[in-house]
Amino acid sequence: MKGLCGALAEADLGRLGSVSWHRRFRAGEAIHVEGEVPPSFCAIVSGVVKLSKSLPNGSQQIVGLFGAGDFLGRPFGGEARATAVAASEVEVCWFPRATIETVTAASGAVKDWLYEQVADELEKAQEWIMLLGRMTAEQKMAVFLLSVMKAAADGKPAPAPAREMVIELPLSRTEIADYLGLTIETVSRQIARLRERHVISAGNTRSVVVHRPDVLTAIVDSTRPPGYPVLVANQVDA
Amino acid sequence: MKGLCGALAEADLGRLGSVSWHRRFRAGEAIHVEGEVPPSFCAIVSGVVKLSKSLPNGSQQIVGLFGAGDFLGRPFGGEARATAVAASEVEVCWFPRATIETVTAASGAVKDWLYEQVADELEKAQEWIMLLGRMTAEQKMAVFLLSVMKAAADGKPAPAPAREMVIELPLSRTEIADYLGLTIETVSRQIARLRERHVISAGNTRSVVVHRPDVLTAIVDSTRPPGYPVLVANQVDA
DNA sequence: CGCGTCATTGAAATACTTCAACGACCGTGG
DNA sequence: CCACGGTCGTTGAAGTATTTCAATGACGCG
């Protein structure tokens, strides 16, 4: 999270501080564009950023999601191979590319930090490959909800997924679909089904109450027939 | 490819050379195991290694494929989050973890190289996310064949995908299925269909003659109805 | 020769998509 | 204030790609 500052010598910190500035993006605005050399490296202060790729036929796939504390852009990277778009109102701390590259080149600690950063992202990407390749729509949806819960609970007192929780979805249905590799209709239907089963209930479109996180996790690691009999027996009232 | 040596000072090169040794793995043998701290970092000399994750329900997904010149394992990484298995007879150049970490910690150039390495891998992973999330079985198969062609042609005189080419598939049907997020039957059928359309023809199960690379690329970036009429018209003889 | 693994093929089942219609929400302008 | 159009989400019905189940064929090996 705040590892960058930890990795920086005082002199560098001051140097970076003096050239950085805050910048806001409204939902939908592009931060980096696929095929262009990103002019910056930035830390997300608040909001959610989606990193997406698009196919010639026009369909999109979100390949990564970033929130407060995450970093965008890769020093020495050349052209960005995906587009970064603000999924909500986003505030970033913005560093000119050149400065970051100079500081990085000079500091071993920063290099270490950067390496960690990319390695983590790779790990997440590989998880996602697994998810996209081998999970059903239902499982994908469950993973998504759980990950939003986890993100929301990050740093909160209770580390375990609590017994009940209200979460705000950071993405529209269309974006969720692009994230999970599904269509918007399938996403909608999966949510409806979870609601019918009383696993979640929805107020506003964007906010969801998760009643049974345990059922979500059960769905995620269920063998293909997703344990309906057992789970339904548990939750249907007599 | 040989970037590691370029990044190393002579002293380090000697040091590494003296502790490295060659090691062979037979097809199916595990090189690193998910959940264990890998005892080594190694360069693949020959053969193909698959990196896979498995779901509780037993299904597998290959999250990466590595060939000669690629590197396995991440210094400072902790537990491996995927299993690396030899997909064929594999020969590696093996370095004890401790040595690699010492050398890396000391050398900025090695850090840079390592960073590049991971960043490249991340880029490939994101491509794969796109593929798994948004492509049809037919497109996946085409991408796979093209990537095998590219790997085979690597460093060859003609850089462009040639007009006709014989390739050896480095994976079994099951492995291809795990790689593309499909079932073995679907893979088999897609190959059969490509054969019927005279895009490829097959000798041995593991070897394929690609007659029309252009059709494969057309399939990859076709909008959903994969242009059958046009393409078929081109290739069917009068 | 017979057994085991791997690949192919067919037929039926199903998960997901596509197409299409409708309802809810929201800001704009009358 | 209310009607209007636009975007977004939901829902139904039909279509299709892919999976599942099952049987058969090809190959290698003891």
Side-chain angles (χ1 to χ4, degrees):
Chain A
M1 290 305 157
K2 50 184 192 274
L4 213 206
C5 297
L8 284 169
E10 297 226 343
D12 289 329
L13 248 182
R15 183 143 145 228
L16 275 180
S18 66
V19 296
S20 77
W21 73 90
H22 278 248
R23 190 159 162 188
R24 303 189 137 273
F25 293 87
R26 319 211 54 181
E29 280 188 284
I31 301 174
H32 294 156
V33 177
E34 187 168 0
E36 294 180 8
V37 176
S40 72
F41 177 81
C42 48
I44 302 177
V45 176
S46 69
V48 175
V49 175
K50 55 180 179 170
L51 194 68
S52 63
K53 277 166 140 2
S54 47
L55 234 35
N57 76 35
S59 69
Q60 276 207 138
Q61 173 69 45
I62 296 184
V63 299
L65 220 47
F66 301 88
D70 290 333
F71 290 79
L72 241 43
R74 241 187 288 313
F76 313 111
E79 294 180 357
R81 66 257 130 266
T83 301
V85 177
S88 63
E89 176 89 9
V90 167
E91 191 183 358
V92 302
C93 182
W94 174 281
F95 306 96
R97 191 180 178 72
T99 314
I100 266 292
E101 292 188 349
T102 316
V103 171
T104 304
S107 161
V110 173
K111 283 179 186 170
D112 291 345
W113 174 82
L114 211 53
Y115 167 77
E116 285 297 332
Q117 203 69 20
V118 180
D120 282 357
E121 208 177 321
L122 174 59
E123 192 166 332
K124 280 190 219 149
Q126 290 180 340
E127 290 287 345
W128 213 252
I129 287 178
M130 167 100 256
L131 176 137
L132 289 171
R134 287 295 178 218
M135 287 191 175
T136 64
E138 183 180 44
Q139 289 177 307
K140 289 176 179 180
M141 203 56 230
V143 169
F144 176 70
L145 289 174
L146 286 171
S147 77
V148 173
M149 286 180 72
K150 202 161 99 200
D154 220 16
K156 285 290 169 54
R163 191 119 194 84
E164 181 144 339
M165 192 168 177
V166 185
I167 54 179
E168 290 296 312
L169 300 185
L171 302 178
S172 70
R173 297 296 129 105
T174 306
E175 289 168 323
I176 296 175
D178 286 341
Y179 194 36
L180 301 178
L182 300 169
T183 60
I184 175 176
E185 294 96 330
T186 305
V187 170
S188 194
R189 279 187 252 265
Q190 291 301 332
I191 292 178
R193 283 174 39 126
L194 287 175
R195 203 166 37 215
E196 284 161 22
R197 293 211 260 148
H198 307 288
V199 177
I200 65 175
S201 61
N204 181 347
T205 320
R206 286 291 189 117
S207 85
V208 170
V209 188
V210 180
H211 299 296
R212 302 284 309 266
D214 57 310
V215 175
L216 291 180
T217 47
I219 288 174
V220 172
D221 44 44
S222 57
T223 315
R224 277 252 305 70
Y228 285 67
V230 180
L231 297 171
V232 167
N234 277 353
Q235 78 201 41
V236 161
D237 37 22
Chain B
M1 291 305 159
K2 51 186 192 273
L4 214 206
C5 297
L8 284 169
E10 297 227 344
D12 289 328
L13 249 182
R15 184 143 144 228
L16 276 179
S18 65
V19 296
S20 76
W21 73 92
H22 278 247
R23 190 159 160 188
R24 305 189 137 273
F25 293 87
R26 321 212 52 181
E29 279 186 284
I31 301 174
H32 294 156
V33 178
E34 188 168 1
E36 294 181 8
V37 176
S40 73
F41 176 81
C42 48
I44 302 176
V45 177
S46 69
V48 174
V49 175
K50 55 181 178 169
L51 193 66
S52 63
K53 276 166 141 2
S54 47
L55 234 35
N57 77 35
S59 70
Q60 275 208 140
Q61 174 69 45
I62 296 183
V63 298
L65 221 47
F66 301 86
D70 291 332
F71 290 79
L72 240 44
R74 238 186 293 310
F76 313 111
E79 295 181 356
R81 68 254 127 269
T83 302
V85 176
S88 63
E89 176 89 8
V90 167
E91 191 183 358
V92 303
C93 182
W94 174 281
F95 306 97
R97 189 179 180 73
T99 314
I100 266 292
E101 293 188 349
T102 316
V103 171
T104 304
S107 160
V110 173
K111 284 179 187 171
D112 291 345
W113 174 83
L114 211 53
Y115 167 76
E116 285 297 333
Q117 203 69 20
V118 180
D120 281 357
E121 207 178 322
L122 174 58
E123 193 166 333
K124 277 189 221 149
Q126 291 181 339
E127 290 288 345
W128 213 252
I129 287 178
M130 166 100 257
L131 176 136
L132 289 172
R134 288 294 177 217
M135 288 190 173
T136 64
E138 185 180 41
Q139 289 177 306
K140 290 175 179 181
M141 203 56 229
V143 168
F144 176 71
L145 289 173
L146 287 171
S147 77
V148 173
M149 285 180 72
K150 201 161 101 202
D154 220 16
K156 286 289 170 56
R163 191 120 194 84
E164 181 144 338
M165 190 167 179
V166 184
I167 54 179
E168 290 297 313
L169 301 185
L171 302 178
S172 71
R173 296 295 129 105
T174 307
E175 288 167 324
I176 296 174
D178 286 341
Y179 194 37
L180 301 178
L182 300 169
T183 59
I184 175 176
E185 294 95 329
T186 305
V187 169
S188 194
R189 279 188 253 265
Q190 291 300 333
I191 291 177
R193 282 175 40 123
L194 288 173
R195 203 167 35 216
E196 284 161 22
R197 293 210 263 148
H198 307 287
V199 177
I200 64 175
S201 60
N204 181 346
T205 320
R206 287 290 190 118
S207 87
V208 170
V209 187
V210 179
H211 299 297
R212 302 285 308 268
D214 58 311
V215 175
L216 291 180
T217 47
I219 288 173
V220 172
D221 45 43
S222 58
T223 315
R224 277 249 304 70
Y228 286 66
V230 179
L231 297 170
V232 167
N234 277 352
Q235 79 202 38
V236 161
D237 37 21

